[in-house]
Structure formats: C-alpha cells, structure tokens
C-alpha cells in the first residue's frame, strides 16, 4: 500500500526503525562479501598460482559472474514462491560448499563448483534487498539507500580482508576460511522478520 508524502515518517524516525534490521543485515552482508570476494576476485589468481593458463583464469572469472547473474534471476523468482528465508538459508549452506570443492578439486570439475558458488552466493543480494523493501514500505527509498551503501562499503573492505588473509596464510586457506565463516549467517537469517510480518506492516 502506497504511503502519501504527508503520512511518511520523518527520516530520523525511519533510521531508528531501520537500526535493528540493518545491524543484522550488516553482519550478513559482511559474511556474504567474504565468501563472494574469494571466487569473484581471487579465483583467477589462485588458478594462475596453481599453474593454470591465463585463458583458464579469465574463464573462471567470466563463469563466476555469469553464474551469479543466473542465480540472481532464479533466487528472485524462487523467493517469491518458497519464501525469503528458505532461499537465503539454502544459499548460505550451498555456496560455501561450492567454494570448498573448487579449492579441493583439480581439472575441469572444479569449475562446476565455482559456478555453484557464484550462483548461490551472489543470489543472496536481491533477496536481502527485497526483505528490506518489504519491512519498510513507508520509507523504501531510504531503506534501500542505506542497504546499498552498506553493501558497497562492506564488500570493498571484505575484498581487502580476503586479500590480506591470502598474503598471510595463502590463497587456498583464504578461500577455506571465507567459505566456512559464511555458516555463521544461518542463525542471523533466522532473526530476520518473516515475510508475513512485512506484509502486515505494508497493509
């Protein structure tokens, strides 16, 4: 239901209401960004380090991005039908498995799991955004702006963290650690508001 300009709450009040969910989402964005940075940014470097050709390294980056695009479209469609939480929990469980198997395997089979990681981890982003907009129907613009600002800042910082971890412990360990910490997302997702609450707020 649309909210008229006169009925919209003051932006300070809106920020106060945003605080709890955005705190949860900040942690979820960080965990997702750590997992995504490994395959998106550092998969070509890991492959080159292990002796793969420049073509294979470039193909890995292309595959991860293409899989992410497909995963984003699929996640949006699925989350409308089976629920946001179901898609989010499925993504944070499946994505790290893809990253770990990409690191563990050699040869062409590892690229299958790189695509799985890209599709599932990237797909979390639009589902989080949908939750934000559903939870704050009276201030969607502000909520969306806060969420996207957090994504840009935290994702950039996460890439630096994964890179520093790779320099300190090796890229393989950076992939493993960034994948495993993603499982901390599960209890946080369970604390997010249910869709029916968001729908009630919208009504």
């Amino acid at each position: 239901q649309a909210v008229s300009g006169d009925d919209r709450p003051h932006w300070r009040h809106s920020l106060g209401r945003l605080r709890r969910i955005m705190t949860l989402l900040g942690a979820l964005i960080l965990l997702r960004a750590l997992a995504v940075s490994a395959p998106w940014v550092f998969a070509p470097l890991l492959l080159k380090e292990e002796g793969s050709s420049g073509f294979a390294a470039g193909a890995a980056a292309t595959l991860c991005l293409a899989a992410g695009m497909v995963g984003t479209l699929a996640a949006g469609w699925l989350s409308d039908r089976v629920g946001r939480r179901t898609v989010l929990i499925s993504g944070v469980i499946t994505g790290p498995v893809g990253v770990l198997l990409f690191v563990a395997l050699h040869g062409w089979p590892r690229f299958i799991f790189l695509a799985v990681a890209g599709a599932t981890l990237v797909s979390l982003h639009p589902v989080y955004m949908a939750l934000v907009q559903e939870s704050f129907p009276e201030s969607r613009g502000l909520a969306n702006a806060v969420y996207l600002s957090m994504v840009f800042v935290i994702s950039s910082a996460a890439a630096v963290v994964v890179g520093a971890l790779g320099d300190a412990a090796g890229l393989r360990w950076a992939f493993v650690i960034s994948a495993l910490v993603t499982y901390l997302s599960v209890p946080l997702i369970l604390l997010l508001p249910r869709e029916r609450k968001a729908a009630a707020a919208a009504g």
Side-chain angles (χ1 to χ4, degrees), residues 29-54:
I29 291 167
L30 174 60
L31 295 170
R32 170 191 171 274
L34 290 170
V36 169
S37 294
W40 265 37
V41 180
F42 298 104
L45 292 177
L46 178 64
L47 289 169
K48 289 285 288 181
E49 188 178 272
E50 295 180 345
S52 296
S53 65

Side-chain angles (χ1 to χ4, degrees), residues 94-113:
T94 307
V97 173
V99 175
L100 293 172
L101 288 174
F102 169 72
V103 173
L105 297 176
H106 295 280
W108 68 265
R110 72 191 311 187
F111 288 92
I112 297 174
F113 295 103

Side-chain angles (χ1 to χ4, degrees), residues 11 14 68 108 110 169 172 187 190:
W11 65 269
S14 297
W108 68 265
R110 72 191 311 187
R172 292 178 67 85
L190 296 176

Side-chain angles (χ1 to χ4, degrees), residues 32-200:
R32 170 191 171 274
L34 290 170
V36 169
S37 294
W40 265 37
V41 180
F42 298 104
L45 292 177
L46 178 64
L47 289 169
K48 289 285 288 181
E49 188 178 272
E50 295 180 345
S52 296
S53 65
F55 176 81
T62 302
L63 176 64
C64 194
L65 290 168
M69 177 189 69
V70 174
T72 296
L73 293 173
W77 182 83
L78 283 172
S79 69
D80 288 338
R81 285 153 180 79
V82 303
R84 312 293 187 210
R85 285 189 179 189
T86 301
V87 173
L88 290 174
I89 292 176
S90 298
V92 299
I93 290 175
T94 307
V97 173
V99 175
L100 293 172
L101 288 174
F102 169 72
V103 173
L105 297 176
H106 295 280
W108 68 265
R110 72 191 311 187
F111 288 92
I112 297 174
F113 295 103
L114 178 65
V116 170
T120 52
L121 292 171
V122 175
S123 69
L124 301 176
H125 170 59
V127 184
Y128 288 144
M129 184 181 293
L131 269 172
V132 167
Q133 294 184 354
E134 288 172 351
S135 299
F136 301 97
E138 78 286 353
S139 51
R140 286 192 179 98
L142 177 61
N144 198 44
V146 172
Y147 169 76
L148 288 175
S149 299
M150 290 169 59
V151 169
F152 294 142
V153 173
I154 293 174
S155 296
S156 300
V160 174
V161 170
V162 175
L165 187 59
D167 289 339
L171 277 177
R172 292 178 67 85
W173 275 110
F175 273 66
V176 171
I177 294 170
S178 64
L180 291 178
V181 299
T182 309
Y183 290 119
L184 297 174
S185 300
V186 173
L188 298 178
I189 289 171
L190 296 176
L191 294 176
L192 290 170
R194 295 182 181 276
E195 288 92 333
R196 64 187 177 202
K197 290 183 180 179

